[in-house]
Amino acid sequence: MSVTAWTLSHNDRDLLINGAFEAKTGSYSPYSKFPVGAALLASDGTLIKGANIENASYGGTICAERTAIVKAVSEGKRGFVGLAVVTDVPAAISPCGLCRQVIREFCALDMPVLLVPGDYPKPDDGSEKKPGVTEGGVKETTLGELLPDSFGPEHLELPRK
Ligand SMILES: [Zn+2]
């Protein structure tokens, strides 16, 4: 795994983590009973929160990460500096593939992504020694690490024969 070029301040890190927990309280997940919260920090300093919103059709369900992205973009935000995601599981849970692609549309590949365990902050039990695992048991990664060799908007600008 590559070394993450860390760009979030401690303040922004706390803002994102707390925001993800707050966002999770808005989850509508009567079917999976798997609440998820996501917080997205825009480059103008705005924090946008999203939760997973399920649907009786199941297919109409939208994840927390996409809720946050869609809320932000529809309000005119285009630049983002970080994303945090939390569930009730006491481990770092990653965004699904569909969300990774949607995040890819609007966020830089080196944008930090914080995968927050539901029991954050975990006590220091030595797990911070694991790659990418940092203070409180948060796994710090990037969009590029979550979605390597990805397809994005710039590919549609390439010359074609
Ligand atoms: Zn998802």
Side-chain angles (χ1 to χ4, degrees), residues 125-161:
D125 59 359
S127 63
E128 288 188 34
K129 307 279 188 293
K130 288 184 197 159
V133 177
T134 62
E135 189 184 334
V138 175
K139 179 164 185 177
E140 297 181 2
T141 184
T142 63
L143 176 59
E145 288 176 350
L146 291 172
L147 194 66
D149 299 324
S150 61
F151 181 80
E154 70 275 17
H155 296 116
L156 292 175
E157 304 300 322
L158 294 173
R160 298 170 221 186
K161 68 173 188 177

Side-chain angles (χ1 to χ4, degrees), residues 10-32:
H10 276 286
N11 197 38
D12 285 349
R13 184 182 193 272
D14 288 345
L15 200 67
L16 280 164
I17 291 171
N18 293 334
F21 274 102
E22 287 172 24
K24 183 160 62 73
T25 66
S27 170
Y28 175 75
S29 44
Y31 308 112
S32 71

